[in-house]
Amino acid sequence: MKVAERVERVPPSGIRRFFELAEEMDDVISLGVGEPDFTAPWSAREAAIDSLERGRTSYTANRGMADLREAIAERSRERYDLDYDPDEEVLVTAGASEAIDVAFRALVDPGDRVAIAQPSYVSYVPGVTFAGGEPVPVPTRETDDFELTVEVLEEHGAGDAEALVFCYPNNPTGATMSEHELEPIAAFAREHDLTVLADEIYADLTYEGEHTSIATLPGMRERTVVFNGFSKAYAMTGLRLGYALAPPEAITAMNRVHQYSMLSAPTTAQYAAIDALANCEDAVAEMRNQYDRRRRFVLSRFDEMGIDCFTAKGAFYVFPESPWADAEAFAEALLEAESVAVVPGGVFGAGGEGHLRVSYATGMSELREAMDRIERFLD
Protein backbone atom coordinates (compact mmCIF):
# COMPACT_ATOMS: atom_id res chain seq x y z
CA MET A 1 0.00 0.00 0.00
CA LYS A 2 1.29 3.45 -0.89
CA VAL A 3 2.23 5.73 2.01
CA ALA A 4 2.44 9.51 1.67
CA GLU A 5 6.02 10.59 1.01
CA ARG A 6 5.91 13.42 3.55
CA VAL A 7 4.98 10.87 6.23
CA GLU A 8 7.59 8.36 5.07
CA ARG A 9 10.40 10.87 5.53
CA VAL A 10 9.53 11.59 9.17
CA PRO A 11 11.45 9.18 11.43
CA PRO A 12 9.87 7.50 14.48
CA SER A 13 10.17 9.39 17.76
CA GLY A 14 13.62 9.01 19.30
CA ILE A 15 12.09 9.32 22.76
CA ARG A 16 9.75 6.40 22.15
CA ARG A 17 12.67 4.12 21.24
CA PHE A 18 14.21 4.58 24.69
CA PHE A 19 10.84 4.01 26.38
CA GLU A 20 10.51 0.72 24.53
CA LEU A 21 14.01 -0.35 25.54
CA ALA A 22 13.26 0.52 29.19
CA GLU A 23 9.96 -1.41 29.13
CA GLU A 24 11.88 -4.61 28.38
CA MET A 25 13.96 -4.27 31.56
CA ASP A 26 13.30 -4.65 35.29
CA ASP A 27 13.99 -2.08 38.01
CA VAL A 28 14.30 0.79 35.54
CA ILE A 29 14.19 4.36 36.83
CA SER A 30 12.98 6.54 33.99
CA LEU A 31 14.29 10.08 33.84
CA GLY A 32 13.15 10.32 30.27
CA VAL A 33 9.41 10.77 30.53
CA GLY A 34 7.90 14.23 30.24
CA GLU A 35 5.01 13.49 32.57
CA PRO A 36 4.33 14.61 36.15
CA ASP A 37 4.53 11.90 38.79
CA PHE A 38 1.74 13.70 40.68
CA THR A 39 -1.94 12.97 40.18
CA ALA A 40 -4.42 15.66 39.18
CA PRO A 41 -5.68 17.71 42.16
CA TRP A 42 -8.51 15.98 43.99
CA SER A 43 -10.96 18.84 43.46
CA ALA A 44 -10.55 18.59 39.68
CA ARG A 45 -10.97 14.81 39.82
CA GLU A 46 -14.15 15.21 41.86
CA ALA A 47 -15.51 17.58 39.23
CA ALA A 48 -14.77 15.00 36.54
CA ILE A 49 -16.41 12.23 38.56
CA ASP A 50 -19.45 14.39 39.27
CA SER A 51 -19.86 15.15 35.56
CA LEU A 52 -19.89 11.43 34.80
CA GLU A 53 -22.35 10.65 37.57
CA ARG A 54 -24.66 13.31 36.16
CA GLY A 55 -24.41 11.69 32.73
CA ARG A 56 -22.62 14.60 31.09
CA THR A 57 -21.05 12.49 28.35
CA SER A 58 -22.21 14.27 25.20
CA TYR A 59 -20.23 16.36 22.73
CA THR A 60 -19.56 19.96 23.66
CA ALA A 61 -19.33 22.95 21.32
CA ASN A 62 -16.48 22.57 18.83
CA ARG A 63 -14.55 25.42 20.44
CA GLY A 64 -15.05 24.02 23.93
CA MET A 65 -17.54 24.62 26.72
CA ALA A 66 -18.45 28.29 27.11
CA ASP A 67 -17.71 28.24 30.87
CA LEU A 68 -14.24 26.83 30.25
CA ARG A 69 -13.43 29.32 27.49
CA GLU A 70 -14.51 32.16 29.78
CA ALA A 71 -12.33 30.78 32.61
CA ILE A 72 -9.33 30.50 30.27
CA ALA A 73 -9.85 34.06 29.04
CA GLU A 74 -10.18 35.29 32.63
CA ARG A 75 -6.91 33.55 33.58
CA SER A 76 -5.14 35.30 30.69
CA ARG A 77 -6.51 38.66 31.85
CA GLU A 78 -5.41 38.04 35.43
CA ARG A 79 -1.95 36.68 34.67
CA TYR A 80 -0.85 38.65 31.63
CA ASP A 81 -3.34 41.49 31.18
CA LEU A 82 -4.20 39.95 27.79
CA ASP A 83 -7.86 40.29 26.89
CA TYR A 84 -9.12 37.46 24.65
CA ASP A 85 -12.75 37.13 23.56
CA PRO A 86 -13.86 33.68 24.83
CA ASP A 87 -16.25 33.30 21.89
CA GLU A 88 -13.87 34.29 19.10
CA GLU A 89 -10.29 33.95 20.34
CA VAL A 90 -10.15 30.78 22.48
CA LEU A 91 -10.08 27.20 21.20
CA VAL A 92 -10.15 24.18 23.55
CA THR A 93 -8.39 21.12 22.13
CA ALA A 94 -7.46 17.53 22.96
CA GLY A 95 -4.17 18.51 24.57
CA ALA A 96 -1.84 21.34 23.62
CA SER A 97 -0.35 18.95 21.05
CA GLU A 98 -3.60 18.98 19.08
CA ALA A 99 -3.73 22.77 19.27
CA ILE A 100 -0.23 22.96 17.78
CA ASP A 101 -1.09 20.44 15.07
CA VAL A 102 -4.25 22.22 13.96
CA ALA A 103 -2.38 25.54 13.97
CA PHE A 104 0.18 24.13 11.54
CA ARG A 105 -2.55 22.70 9.31
CA ALA A 106 -4.62 25.89 9.45
CA LEU A 107 -1.87 28.48 9.07
CA VAL A 108 0.86 26.83 6.97
CA ASP A 109 0.51 26.48 3.20
CA PRO A 110 2.48 23.86 1.23
CA GLY A 111 6.02 25.12 0.77
CA ASP A 112 5.83 27.72 3.56
CA ARG A 113 9.04 27.98 5.57
CA VAL A 114 8.56 27.66 9.32
CA ALA A 115 11.47 28.56 11.61
CA ILE A 116 11.70 26.27 14.65
CA ALA A 117 13.87 27.16 17.65
CA GLN A 118 15.75 24.02 18.67
CA PRO A 119 16.36 21.90 20.71
CA SER A 120 12.60 21.58 20.80
CA TYR A 121 9.63 19.37 21.49
CA VAL A 122 9.82 16.50 19.04
CA SER A 123 6.42 17.15 17.39
CA TYR A 124 7.13 20.55 15.83
CA VAL A 125 9.18 19.40 12.84
CA PRO A 126 6.85 16.48 11.97
CA GLY A 127 3.82 18.75 12.42
CA VAL A 128 5.15 21.28 9.94
CA THR A 129 6.11 18.49 7.54
CA PHE A 130 2.66 16.86 7.75
CA ALA A 131 1.13 20.27 6.96
CA GLY A 132 3.28 20.48 3.82
CA GLY A 133 5.56 23.19 5.17
CA GLU A 134 9.34 23.33 5.19
CA PRO A 135 10.91 23.24 8.67
CA VAL A 136 13.81 25.66 9.15
CA PRO A 137 15.85 24.63 12.22
CA VAL A 138 17.18 27.51 14.31
CA PRO A 139 19.60 25.95 16.83
CA THR A 140 19.94 27.84 20.11
CA ARG A 141 23.27 27.66 21.93
CA GLU A 142 24.32 26.78 25.45
CA THR A 143 26.57 29.85 25.42
CA ASP A 144 23.34 31.89 25.15
CA ASP A 145 21.66 29.81 27.88
CA PHE A 146 19.63 28.17 25.10
CA GLU A 147 17.73 31.43 24.60
CA LEU A 148 16.55 32.41 21.14
CA THR A 149 18.55 35.35 19.80
CA VAL A 150 18.28 37.62 16.78
CA GLU A 151 21.77 36.50 15.79
CA VAL A 152 20.78 32.84 15.38
CA LEU A 153 17.50 33.82 13.72
CA GLU A 154 19.38 35.83 11.10
CA GLU A 155 22.13 33.24 10.74
CA HIS A 156 19.65 30.48 9.89
CA GLY A 157 17.36 32.42 7.58
CA ALA A 158 14.35 32.85 9.86
CA GLY A 159 13.67 36.27 8.36
CA ASP A 160 12.60 34.56 5.12
CA ALA A 161 10.13 32.29 6.91
CA GLU A 162 6.40 32.78 7.27
CA ALA A 163 6.25 31.68 10.89
CA LEU A 164 8.39 31.13 13.99
CA VAL A 165 7.81 28.38 16.56
CA PHE A 166 9.34 28.25 20.03
CA CYS A 167 8.69 26.88 23.52
CA TYR A 168 9.64 28.69 26.75
CA PRO A 169 10.05 27.41 29.40
CA ASN A 170 11.73 24.98 27.08
CA ASN A 171 11.42 21.28 26.57
CA PRO A 172 14.12 19.80 26.64
CA THR A 173 16.57 22.37 28.04
CA GLY A 174 14.58 23.99 30.86
CA ALA A 175 15.60 27.42 29.52
CA THR A 176 13.36 30.45 30.00
CA MET A 177 13.25 33.92 28.44
CA SER A 178 12.48 37.12 30.30
CA GLU A 179 10.59 40.10 28.91
CA HIS A 180 13.90 41.86 28.25
CA GLU A 181 15.21 38.84 26.33
CA LEU A 182 11.99 38.44 24.31
CA GLU A 183 11.85 42.09 23.19
CA PRO A 184 14.40 41.75 20.34
CA ILE A 185 12.68 38.54 19.19
CA ALA A 186 9.38 40.41 19.04
CA ALA A 187 11.04 43.22 17.09
CA PHE A 188 12.45 40.66 14.63
CA ALA A 189 8.99 39.11 14.19
CA ARG A 190 7.43 42.49 13.52
CA GLU A 191 10.18 43.50 11.10
CA HIS A 192 9.85 40.30 9.06
CA ASP A 193 6.07 39.95 9.43
CA LEU A 194 6.31 36.55 11.11
CA THR A 195 3.42 34.68 12.65
CA VAL A 196 4.63 33.49 16.06
CA LEU A 197 3.53 30.15 17.52
CA ALA A 198 4.41 30.25 21.22
CA ASP A 199 4.15 27.00 23.17
CA GLU A 200 3.72 28.02 26.82
CA ILE A 201 2.63 24.67 28.26
CA TYR A 202 5.27 24.98 31.03
CA ALA A 203 4.49 28.63 31.88
CA ASP A 204 3.34 27.79 35.42
CA LEU A 205 6.54 25.81 36.03
CA THR A 206 8.88 28.81 36.10
CA TYR A 207 11.24 28.87 39.09
CA GLU A 208 13.30 32.04 38.73
CA GLY A 209 11.37 35.20 37.91
CA GLU A 210 7.95 35.40 36.29
CA HIS A 211 6.91 33.91 32.98
CA THR A 212 6.47 36.45 30.17
CA SER A 213 4.27 35.69 27.19
CA ILE A 214 5.56 37.21 23.96
CA ALA A 215 1.94 38.10 23.15
CA THR A 216 2.13 40.82 25.83
CA LEU A 217 4.81 42.77 23.94
CA PRO A 218 3.87 45.66 21.62
CA GLY A 219 2.50 44.58 18.27
CA MET A 220 2.62 40.87 19.13
CA ARG A 221 -0.87 39.89 20.27
CA GLU A 222 -2.20 40.26 16.73
CA ARG A 223 0.49 38.01 15.23
CA THR A 224 0.84 35.36 17.97
CA VAL A 225 -0.86 32.05 18.70
CA VAL A 226 -0.33 31.04 22.34
CA PHE A 227 -0.61 27.37 23.32
CA ASN A 228 -1.18 26.12 26.84
CA GLY A 229 -3.03 23.35 28.63
CA PHE A 230 -3.59 21.30 31.74
CA SER A 231 -1.18 18.38 31.29
CA LYS A 232 1.95 19.69 32.97
CA ALA A 233 1.07 22.19 35.71
CA TYR A 234 -2.15 20.40 36.72
CA ALA A 235 -0.81 16.84 36.21
CA MET A 236 -3.71 16.04 33.86
CA THR A 237 -1.75 14.43 31.00
CA GLY A 238 -4.17 11.55 30.46
CA LEU A 239 -7.22 13.81 30.33
CA ARG A 240 -5.87 15.37 27.11
CA LEU A 241 -6.89 19.00 27.37
CA GLY A 242 -5.18 22.06 25.94
CA TYR A 243 -6.09 25.38 24.38
CA ALA A 244 -5.00 28.10 22.00
CA LEU A 245 -5.36 31.87 22.28
CA ALA A 246 -5.14 33.88 19.05
CA PRO A 247 -6.82 36.51 16.90
CA PRO A 248 -10.26 35.57 15.55
CA GLU A 249 -9.11 34.73 12.02
CA ALA A 250 -6.56 32.22 13.33
CA ILE A 251 -8.97 30.58 15.78
CA THR A 252 -11.67 30.35 13.11
CA ALA A 253 -9.25 28.59 10.75
CA MET A 254 -7.92 26.29 13.46
CA ASN A 255 -11.44 25.40 14.59
CA ARG A 256 -12.31 24.48 11.01
CA VAL A 257 -9.57 21.83 11.08
CA HIS A 258 -10.40 20.84 14.66
CA GLN A 259 -14.12 20.29 13.98
CA TYR A 260 -13.41 17.92 11.08
CA SER A 261 -10.72 15.94 12.88
CA MET A 262 -11.44 15.96 16.63
CA LEU A 263 -14.92 17.56 16.70
CA SER A 264 -14.56 18.60 20.35
CA ALA A 265 -12.23 18.08 23.29
CA PRO A 266 -13.11 15.40 25.89
CA THR A 267 -16.17 16.49 27.86
CA THR A 268 -15.13 15.00 31.22
CA ALA A 269 -11.74 16.70 31.01
CA GLN A 270 -13.39 20.07 30.40
CA TYR A 271 -15.35 19.82 33.64
CA ALA A 272 -12.12 18.95 35.46
CA ALA A 273 -10.38 21.94 33.87
CA ILE A 274 -13.09 24.40 34.92
CA ASP A 275 -12.59 23.31 38.51
CA ALA A 276 -8.80 23.30 38.17
CA LEU A 277 -8.75 26.95 37.11
CA ALA A 278 -11.12 27.93 39.90
CA ASN A 279 -9.86 25.89 42.84
CA CYS A 280 -6.46 24.25 42.30
CA GLU A 281 -3.85 27.01 42.35
CA ASP A 282 -2.59 25.96 45.79
CA ALA A 283 -2.05 22.43 44.48
CA VAL A 284 -0.16 23.79 41.46
CA ALA A 285 2.02 25.91 43.74
CA GLU A 286 2.86 22.89 45.88
CA MET A 287 3.79 20.80 42.84
CA ARG A 288 5.92 23.68 41.54
CA ASN A 289 7.75 23.87 44.88
CA GLN A 290 8.45 20.15 44.76
CA TYR A 291 9.77 20.39 41.21
CA ASP A 292 12.00 23.27 42.20
CA ARG A 293 13.44 21.25 45.08
CA ARG A 294 14.16 18.36 42.72
CA ARG A 295 15.64 20.71 40.12
CA ARG A 296 18.15 22.10 42.60
CA PHE A 297 19.01 18.60 43.82
CA VAL A 298 19.70 17.21 40.32
CA LEU A 299 21.74 20.26 39.32
CA SER A 300 23.85 19.96 42.47
CA ARG A 301 24.48 16.26 41.91
CA PHE A 302 25.64 16.77 38.34
CA ASP A 303 27.90 19.54 39.58
CA GLU A 304 29.40 17.20 42.17
CA MET A 305 30.01 14.61 39.43
CA GLY A 306 31.85 17.19 37.35
CA ILE A 307 29.25 17.10 34.56
CA ASP A 308 28.61 20.47 32.94
CA CYS A 309 24.92 21.26 33.14
CA PHE A 310 23.10 24.41 32.09
CA THR A 311 21.09 25.87 34.98
CA ALA A 312 17.52 25.14 33.95
CA LYS A 313 14.98 27.67 35.23
CA GLY A 314 11.69 26.16 34.10
CA ALA A 315 9.74 23.04 33.01
CA PHE A 316 10.94 19.81 34.70
CA TYR A 317 14.07 18.96 32.72
CA VAL A 318 17.79 19.56 32.93
CA PHE A 319 20.05 19.27 29.90
CA PRO A 320 23.57 18.21 30.92
CA GLU A 321 26.41 17.65 28.51
CA SER A 322 26.94 13.97 27.80
CA PRO A 323 30.04 12.50 29.54
CA TRP A 324 30.72 10.66 26.26
CA ALA A 325 31.03 12.28 22.85
CA ASP A 326 28.27 9.99 21.62
CA ALA A 327 25.28 10.86 23.80
CA GLU A 328 23.11 8.10 22.33
CA ALA A 329 25.75 5.47 23.10
CA PHE A 330 26.04 6.83 26.65
CA ALA A 331 22.26 6.68 27.17
CA GLU A 332 22.10 3.10 25.90
CA ALA A 333 25.05 2.00 28.04
CA LEU A 334 23.64 3.69 31.15
CA LEU A 335 20.30 1.97 30.60
CA GLU A 336 21.93 -1.43 30.15
CA ALA A 337 24.39 -1.13 33.04
CA GLU A 338 22.38 0.75 35.67
CA SER A 339 18.75 0.65 34.48
CA VAL A 340 18.45 4.44 34.34
CA ALA A 341 16.68 5.87 31.29
CA VAL A 342 17.62 9.30 29.96
CA VAL A 343 17.11 10.69 26.44
CA PRO A 344 19.96 11.73 24.12
CA GLY A 345 19.64 15.40 23.22
CA GLY A 346 20.00 14.84 19.49
CA VAL A 347 16.41 13.61 19.21
CA PHE A 348 15.29 17.18 19.99
CA GLY A 349 16.97 18.60 16.90
CA ALA A 350 19.78 20.99 16.10
CA GLY A 351 21.70 22.18 19.15
CA GLY A 352 20.80 19.11 21.18
CA GLU A 353 23.69 16.89 20.09
CA GLY A 354 26.12 16.04 22.86
CA HIS A 355 23.54 16.54 25.59
CA LEU A 356 21.08 14.43 27.58
CA ARG A 357 17.55 15.30 28.63
CA VAL A 358 17.00 14.33 32.25
CA SER A 359 13.50 14.70 33.67
CA TYR A 360 13.02 15.30 37.39
CA ALA A 361 9.27 14.64 37.22
CA THR A 362 9.72 11.70 39.56
CA GLY A 363 9.89 11.29 43.34
CA MET A 364 12.93 12.33 45.37
CA SER A 365 13.72 8.79 46.52
CA GLU A 366 13.90 7.58 42.91
CA LEU A 367 15.86 10.67 41.90
CA ARG A 368 18.43 10.02 44.62
CA GLU A 369 18.78 6.39 43.55
CA ALA A 370 19.03 7.34 39.88
CA MET A 371 21.73 9.94 40.53
CA ASP A 372 23.65 7.41 42.65
CA ARG A 373 23.48 4.92 39.79
CA ILE A 374 24.70 7.51 37.27
CA GLU A 375 27.61 8.39 39.54
CA ARG A 376 28.44 4.72 39.97
CA PHE A 377 28.35 4.22 36.22
CA LEU A 378 30.72 7.13 35.67
CA ASP A 379 33.10 5.80 38.33
Side-chain angles (χ1 to χ4, degrees), residues 306-322:
I307 295 177
D308 290 333
C309 187
F310 160 72
T311 303
K313 299 178 181 178
F316 38 59
Y317 313 103
V318 295
F319 206 57
E321 292 185 11
S322 171

PDB file of all heavy atoms in Angstrom, residues 306-322:
ATOM      1  N   GLY A 306      31.004  16.543  38.340  1.00  0.00           N
ATOM      2  CA  GLY A 306      31.855  17.192  37.349  1.00  0.00           C
ATOM      3  C   GLY A 306      31.244  17.226  35.959  1.00  0.00           C
ATOM      4  O   GLY A 306      31.967  17.409  34.966  1.00  0.00           O
ATOM      5  N   ILE A 307      29.929  17.061  35.857  1.00  0.00           N
ATOM      6  CA  ILE A 307      29.246  17.104  34.562  1.00  0.00           C
ATOM      7  C   ILE A 307      28.702  18.511  34.341  1.00  0.00           C
ATOM      8  O   ILE A 307      27.939  19.026  35.165  1.00  0.00           O
ATOM      9  CB  ILE A 307      28.093  16.082  34.518  1.00  0.00           C
ATOM     10  CG1 ILE A 307      28.652  14.662  34.602  1.00  0.00           C
ATOM     11  CG2 ILE A 307      27.272  16.253  33.246  1.00  0.00           C
ATOM     12  CD1 ILE A 307      27.587  13.587  34.629  1.00  0.00           C
ATOM     13  N   ASP A 308      29.113  19.131  33.250  1.00  0.00           N
ATOM     14  CA  ASP A 308      28.611  20.468  32.935  1.00  0.00           C
ATOM     15  C   ASP A 308      27.121  20.405  32.659  1.00  0.00           C
ATOM     16  O   ASP A 308      26.660  19.588  31.840  1.00  0.00           O
ATOM     17  CB  ASP A 308      29.334  21.037  31.714  1.00  0.00           C
ATOM     18  CG  ASP A 308      30.784  21.383  32.009  1.00  0.00           C
ATOM     19  OD1 ASP A 308      31.088  21.675  33.178  1.00  0.00           O
ATOM     20  OD2 ASP A 308      31.608  21.346  31.077  1.00  0.00           O
ATOM     21  N   CYS A 309      26.374  21.273  33.311  1.00  0.00           N
ATOM     22  CA  CYS A 309      24.920  21.258  33.143  1.00  0.00           C
ATOM     23  C   CYS A 309      24.389  22.679  33.217  1.00  0.00           C
ATOM     24  O   CYS A 309      24.556  23.370  34.236  1.00  0.00           O
ATOM     25  CB  CYS A 309      24.259  20.390  34.219  1.00  0.00           C
ATOM     26  SG  CYS A 309      22.480  20.152  33.960  1.00  0.00           S
ATOM     27  N   PHE A 310      23.769  23.112  32.133  1.00  0.00           N
ATOM     28  CA  PHE A 310      23.103  24.406  32.091  1.00  0.00           C
ATOM     29  C   PHE A 310      22.082  24.511  33.221  1.00  0.00           C
ATOM     30  O   PHE A 310      21.369  23.552  33.518  1.00  0.00           O
ATOM     31  CB  PHE A 310      22.423  24.544  30.727  1.00  0.00           C
ATOM     32  CG  PHE A 310      21.325  25.554  30.664  1.00  0.00           C
ATOM     33  CD1 PHE A 310      21.612  26.908  30.699  1.00  0.00           C
ATOM     34  CD2 PHE A 310      19.999  25.158  30.590  1.00  0.00           C
ATOM     35  CE1 PHE A 310      20.598  27.845  30.647  1.00  0.00           C
ATOM     36  CE2 PHE A 310      18.983  26.084  30.530  1.00  0.00           C
ATOM     37  CZ  PHE A 310      19.284  27.434  30.560  1.00  0.00           C
ATOM     38  N   THR A 311      22.010  25.673  33.861  1.00  0.00           N
ATOM     39  CA  THR A 311      21.088  25.870  34.983  1.00  0.00           C
ATOM     40  C   THR A 311      19.676  26.116  34.469  1.00  0.00           C
ATOM     41  O   THR A 311      19.312  27.239  34.113  1.00  0.00           O
ATOM     42  CB  THR A 311      21.538  27.035  35.875  1.00  0.00           C
ATOM     43  OG1 THR A 311      22.861  26.789  36.340  1.00  0.00           O
ATOM     44  CG2 THR A 311      20.602  27.195  37.069  1.00  0.00           C
ATOM     45  N   ALA A 312      18.901  25.051  34.406  1.00  0.00           N
ATOM     46  CA  ALA A 312      17.516  25.144  33.951  1.00  0.00           C
ATOM     47  C   ALA A 312      16.707  25.986  34.928  1.00  0.00           C
ATOM     48  O   ALA A 312      16.890  25.898  36.143  1.00  0.00           O
ATOM     49  CB  ALA A 312      16.916  23.748  33.839  1.00  0.00           C
ATOM     50  N   LYS A 313      15.785  26.789  34.392  1.00  0.00           N
ATOM     51  CA  LYS A 313      14.984  27.673  35.226  1.00  0.00           C
ATOM     52  C   LYS A 313      13.485  27.436  35.077  1.00  0.00           C
ATOM     53  O   LYS A 313      12.675  28.165  35.659  1.00  0.00           O
ATOM     54  CB  LYS A 313      15.301  29.137  34.892  1.00  0.00           C
ATOM     55  CG  LYS A 313      16.758  29.505  35.151  1.00  0.00           C
ATOM     56  CD  LYS A 313      17.042  30.944  34.763  1.00  0.00           C
ATOM     57  CE  LYS A 313      18.501  31.307  34.985  1.00  0.00           C
ATOM     58  NZ  LYS A 313      18.802  32.693  34.553  1.00  0.00           N
ATOM     59  N   GLY A 314      13.101  26.420  34.289  1.00  0.00           N
ATOM     60  CA  GLY A 314      11.688  26.157  34.095  1.00  0.00           C
ATOM     61  C   GLY A 314      11.452  24.745  33.603  1.00  0.00           C
ATOM     62  O   GLY A 314      12.394  23.971  33.394  1.00  0.00           O
ATOM     63  N   ALA A 315      10.172  24.385  33.416  1.00  0.00           N
ATOM     64  CA  ALA A 315       9.737  23.039  33.010  1.00  0.00           C
ATOM     65  C   ALA A 315      10.165  22.031  34.076  1.00  0.00           C
ATOM     66  O   ALA A 315      10.284  22.375  35.257  1.00  0.00           O
ATOM     67  CB  ALA A 315      10.272  22.677  31.625  1.00  0.00           C
ATOM     68  N   PHE A 316      10.401  20.760  33.721  1.00  0.00           N
ATOM     69  CA  PHE A 316      10.942  19.811  34.696  1.00  0.00           C
ATOM     70  C   PHE A 316      12.018  18.935  34.060  1.00  0.00           C
ATOM     71  O   PHE A 316      12.015  17.725  34.183  1.00  0.00           O
ATOM     72  CB  PHE A 316       9.865  18.962  35.386  1.00  0.00           C
ATOM     73  CG  PHE A 316       8.708  18.507  34.547  1.00  0.00           C
ATOM     74  CD1 PHE A 316       8.889  17.738  33.415  1.00  0.00           C
ATOM     75  CD2 PHE A 316       7.414  18.835  34.926  1.00  0.00           C
ATOM     76  CE1 PHE A 316       7.818  17.299  32.664  1.00  0.00           C
ATOM     77  CE2 PHE A 316       6.318  18.399  34.178  1.00  0.00           C
ATOM     78  CZ  PHE A 316       6.536  17.635  33.048  1.00  0.00           C
ATOM     79  N   TYR A 317      12.950  19.630  33.357  1.00  0.00           N
ATOM     80  CA  TYR A 317      14.069  18.961  32.723  1.00  0.00           C
ATOM     81  C   TYR A 317      15.357  19.717  33.002  1.00  0.00           C
ATOM     82  O   TYR A 317      15.349  20.950  33.161  1.00  0.00           O
ATOM     83  CB  TYR A 317      13.893  18.912  31.196  1.00  0.00           C
ATOM     84  CG  TYR A 317      12.543  18.464  30.732  1.00  0.00           C
ATOM     85  CD1 TYR A 317      11.606  19.385  30.260  1.00  0.00           C
ATOM     86  CD2 TYR A 317      12.189  17.117  30.755  1.00  0.00           C
ATOM     87  CE1 TYR A 317      10.361  18.976  29.825  1.00  0.00           C
ATOM     88  CE2 TYR A 317      10.941  16.701  30.322  1.00  0.00           C
ATOM     89  CZ  TYR A 317      10.025  17.632  29.859  1.00  0.00           C
ATOM     90  OH  TYR A 317       8.787  17.228  29.437  1.00  0.00           O
ATOM     91  N   VAL A 318      16.467  18.968  33.044  1.00  0.00           N
ATOM     92  CA  VAL A 318      17.792  19.564  32.934  1.00  0.00           C
ATOM     93  C   VAL A 318      18.440  18.954  31.698  1.00  0.00           C
ATOM     94  O   VAL A 318      18.029  17.894  31.210  1.00  0.00           O
ATOM     95  CB  VAL A 318      18.658  19.351  34.188  1.00  0.00           C
ATOM     96  CG1 VAL A 318      18.053  20.071  35.381  1.00  0.00           C
ATOM     97  CG2 VAL A 318      18.847  17.863  34.489  1.00  0.00           C
ATOM     98  N   PHE A 319      19.482  19.623  31.193  1.00  0.00           N
ATOM     99  CA  PHE A 319      20.049  19.266  29.897  1.00  0.00           C
ATOM    100  C   PHE A 319      21.574  19.240  29.994  1.00  0.00           C
ATOM    101  O   PHE A 319      22.256  20.081  29.410  1.00  0.00           O
ATOM    102  CB  PHE A 319      19.583  20.293  28.857  1.00  0.00           C
ATOM    103  CG  PHE A 319      19.539  19.795  27.438  1.00  0.00           C
ATOM    104  CD1 PHE A 319      18.787  18.683  27.097  1.00  0.00           C
ATOM    105  CD2 PHE A 319      20.227  20.473  26.441  1.00  0.00           C
ATOM    106  CE1 PHE A 319      18.721  18.247  25.775  1.00  0.00           C
ATOM    107  CE2 PHE A 319      20.167  20.050  25.122  1.00  0.00           C
ATOM    108  CZ  PHE A 319      19.415  18.933  24.785  1.00  0.00           C
ATOM    109  N   PRO A 320      22.125  18.258  30.743  1.00  0.00           N
ATOM    110  CA  PRO A 320      23.574  18.212  30.919  1.00  0.00           C
ATOM    111  C   PRO A 320      24.303  17.793  29.648  1.00  0.00           C
ATOM    112  O   PRO A 320      23.722  17.134  28.768  1.00  0.00           O
ATOM    113  CB  PRO A 320      23.746  17.155  32.013  1.00  0.00           C
ATOM    114  CG  PRO A 320      22.581  16.241  31.819  1.00  0.00           C
ATOM    115  CD  PRO A 320      21.441  17.147  31.422  1.00  0.00           C
ATOM    116  N   GLU A 321      25.570  18.165  29.582  1.00  0.00           N
ATOM    117  CA  GLU A 321      26.415  17.653  28.511  1.00  0.00           C
ATOM    118  C   GLU A 321      26.670  16.169  28.758  1.00  0.00           C
ATOM    119  O   GLU A 321      26.847  15.735  29.895  1.00  0.00           O
ATOM    120  CB  GLU A 321      27.733  18.419  28.460  1.00  0.00           C
ATOM    121  CG  GLU A 321      27.577  19.862  28.019  1.00  0.00           C
ATOM    122  CD  GLU A 321      28.919  20.560  27.857  1.00  0.00           C
ATOM    123  OE1 GLU A 321      29.962  19.868  27.878  1.00  0.00           O
ATOM    124  OE2 GLU A 321      28.924  21.798  27.718  1.00  0.00           O
ATOM    125  N   SER A 322      26.686  15.396  27.679  1.00  0.00           N
ATOM    126  CA  SER A 322      26.941  13.966  27.802  1.00  0.00           C
ATOM    127  C   SER A 322      28.398  13.726  28.208  1.00  0.00           C
ATOM    128  O   SER A 322      29.306  14.355  27.655  1.00  0.00           O
ATOM    129  CB  SER A 322      26.667  13.256  26.479  1.00  0.00           C
ATOM    130  OG  SER A 322      27.103  11.906  26.530  1.00  0.00           O
TER     131      SER A 322
END
